[in-house]
Amino acid sequence: MFNLDSLNPQQRQAAETIRGPVLILAGAGTGKTRVLTFRIAHMVQRGIAPHHILGVTFTNKAAREMHERVTKLLPKHKKSDGPAAEHRPTLCTFHSLCVRILREHIEKLGYKRNFVIYDTSDQLGAVKKILSGISAKGEKTDPAAVLAMLSKFKNGGTHAAAFDDPSIRALAEHVRKRYESALHACNAVDFDDLILLTLRLFNEHPEALEACRAKYRYVMVDEYQDTNNAQFQLVHSLTREHRNLCVVGDDDQSIYGWRGAEIANLLDMEKHFPEVKVVKLEQNYRSTNTILKAANTVIKNNTQRRGKQLWSDKGDGAKITLHTFETDEDEARTVVENIEYARLAKRMPWSSQAILFRTNIQSRPIETALRQAGVRYHLIGGQSFFDRREVRDFLAYLKTFINPHDDVNLLRIANTPARGLSDVTMERLLKASHERQGSVFSAMKNPLVTTTFQTRTRESIESFVDFVERMRAELGGQPAPAHLPSCDREGDEEASLPFSGGIDAQPASSSAPARSTGPFTLQTWANRFLDETGYFAELRRIEKTAEAGENRVRNLKDLLATMEPAEIQPNPPYARLEKFLEDVTLDSDRENEKESGGDAVTLITMHSCKGLEYPHVHIIGLEDGLLPHSRSKTEGTLDEERRLFYVGITRAMLTLNISHCSGRKKYGQLIPCHPSQFLNELPADLVEHASEKAKEPVKVESGKSMFAAMRDALD
């Protein structure tokens, strides 16, 4: 059992206030996750049923961590006590919450419960298809830009200056309607839709909202300063009647305004809940007081904030070291030299060091210097595992088997690897699907279409159709009907067919292989069809080196190994596959959350480092135009840039090094740079210049300790 006595007075007050609206102002490193988990356990101890408790976070990592901590605090229940779900609170992300709600109620909006969730790649495919039908010949439009415009338009940005032009606004409306119609016809939704459709459900079907309110009687939201308008409306809809809302956040760490976060949601809490109780968490358990005093002083220059004063019982610690360099290459080389010196002379492992920067492009000279010095490093924010070509191809195969009338994914894998379905062939099939207002798969099954192709191409088409239907049958699904209305057709709800017929259902084709004895595993099945198609061989063939090819194969086989839990579920294979795809789509951030593994320096942007901590931090590039970014002057976001600097400072536990350059290379030319205005906001008595520090004599004991550490390293 847990004990509230282990909390400090402010933490305990936050954990014990379990009814009515509560705002927990949790400064950096003040133990907010501990408070949230203890609060949930205390609520259960006071007799609140766990299944009435909802905790919403922004990342799957945070939700998993909270779930693990709460599980340890709550008493164990026997199976005879009732369904396991009744003994667990719901702890999930905003998107996962909306998936839960929509799986239960989305039929009220004209969708089927087995809707699929489009990720960015799927969305781009849908946009490309729309553009191909409305763009003039020879006209090239960036699908990613159109998708960004759609997202902004859908999420309430209709009043933005970009849409003041009537022609642009009309185009946005037209593309939006086509896009939404295309997704609806394929029984698909995107990430924006998950929240927007839930809000529409609540607005049009009050009984669904009442059911959710009855279920989630106590709601907690983490990182409340990062919520956007749609998320705010969702939370407000659920809680405005019972008023049991607890939000946790820090306005000083609101750094995502560029993606729609509205700091006003936290600052204006009293407007919506006048009776709100505010609890401040100010005792920091991470940093020294020197680091905290510097952070407090810098952030006070923002006037629109809730006042708080971080403090620590860890003592003052070392002063902040300020470095000035001639070039960014000098900066990179010296930072790496200092890291190596700390490892050899002070026994500080690489993993205790982190290098923070404002923009991704700043990592290039640092990475070069680290490689030249033979220092291992981990770059956070590189290419996601799920964005690798081989992974995207594999997931497209799976999505095609779930719904062959999903043109986006079918077009991706139809000729991957090559099977006689060239680009010209697929373009003709796509055109035929438009003319017949059907999907590409419907066109591939239509004799009136296929007989227009040469014999060899027609056989390739028929072979591919047979392959898809055979895979669907093995999963327990019926062959798709030959003529299905178009996924472009507004209101068509039959584009994504649920599986039926049970696990033993077989297609009409006699080519389906006999089933093997023993349990059906998705991993074995996937391995077999990838081998059958020659995809593994294709990966090895297209890479320049055998090692690179094997790496791609290994990536795929690692993913296959995660397709099912250790104990195979009794659900039919298609249901298990749907669950796997849903988890992959909703959990696409997990690659960025992976720990580096082993001893390595962390390279990370300031936007990615929130919530993390490192013993020794190096913030590079404190220059005008980088931090604050040049855009902040035209966009009026200087306060957010200062909050970003504050976040960077408060990642440091023991030492903090800050640097800027007189010149930085751009396109091979050295461009003059000027120090950031934020440097003038640091208290002078807390900062020492590296050049002055280097003149100080080394104390005898320190020297002996350094030499001993170096001898140990050499041994």
Side-chain angles (χ1 to χ4, degrees), residues 67-264:
H67 185 271
E68 289 167 3
R69 291 201 194 184
V70 169
T71 300
K72 290 178 181 177
L73 294 176
L74 293 178
K76 299 288 189 295
H77 288 269
K78 299 177 182 178
K79 291 183 179 179
S80 58
D81 291 341
E86 292 187 4
H87 304 299
R88 292 198 307 268
T90 300
L91 305 173
C92 59
T93 64
F94 276 102
H95 290 107
S96 295
L97 170 65
C98 291
V99 168
R100 291 169 186 248
I101 294 171
L102 292 175
R103 289 285 182 211
E104 188 173 350
H105 299 286
I106 200 169
E107 288 173 330
K108 295 180 174 69
L109 300 178
Y111 291 79
K112 295 185 177 180
R113 289 193 181 188
N114 68 331
F115 62 86
V116 295
I117 305 168
Y118 272 16
D119 60 16
T120 304
S121 180
D122 299 325
Q123 292 174 267
L124 284 172
V127 169
K128 287 176 185 175
K129 189 175 177 184
I130 292 169
L131 293 176
S132 69
I134 65 174
S135 299
K137 189 173 183 180
E139 181 184 3
K140 290 187 177 181
T141 307
D142 181 7
V146 173
L147 187 59
M149 176 193 73
L150 278 173
S151 182
K152 190 171 186 178
F153 200 72
K154 289 167 67 176
N155 281 289
T158 53
H159 301 295
F163 300 111
D164 287 345
D165 186 327
S167 60
I168 294 179
R169 190 180 186 88
L171 176 63
E173 287 281 11
H174 178 69
V175 174
R176 175 183 177 175
K177 288 179 181 178
R178 291 285 301 270
Y179 175 78
E180 291 180 349
S181 175
L183 264 64
H184 194 174
C186 291
N187 199 39
V189 301
D190 64 21
F191 272 82
D192 291 333
D193 290 334
L194 291 174
I195 295 180
L196 297 177
L197 284 174
T198 303
L199 290 174
R200 182 182 147 200
L201 173 75
F202 287 170
N203 185 51
E204 297 178 4
H205 300 276
E207 71 281 6
L209 173 57
E210 286 306 317
C212 291
R213 284 176 177 165
K215 182 175 182 180
Y216 303 123
R217 301 178 189 177
Y218 297 84
V219 178
M220 284 175 283
V221 184
D222 193 14
E223 303 286 7
Y224 193 62
Q225 77 281 350
D226 294 337
T227 53
N228 61 26
N229 183 55
Q231 291 160 340
F232 167 79
Q233 290 183 45
L234 179 69
V235 171
H236 197 65
S237 296
L238 289 172
T239 61
R240 64 172 170 247
E241 296 298 328
H242 59 60
R243 319 289 284 180
N244 294 319
L245 170 64
C246 172
V247 300
V248 185
D250 180 8
D251 50 312
D252 291 336
Q253 296 185 75
S254 179
I255 59 174
Y256 299 121
W258 49 276
R259 69 182 188 196
E262 297 190 11
I263 192 173

Side-chain angles (χ1 to χ4, degrees), residues 44 144 194 226 273 316 335 356 469 539 544 583 593 625 692 694 711:
V44 175
L194 291 174
D226 294 337
F273 295 91
D316 289 338
V335 168
L356 278 54
E469 293 191 332
L539 287 178
K544 292 181 179 179
D583 289 345
E593 298 168 355
E692 296 299 320
R711 278 195 297 270

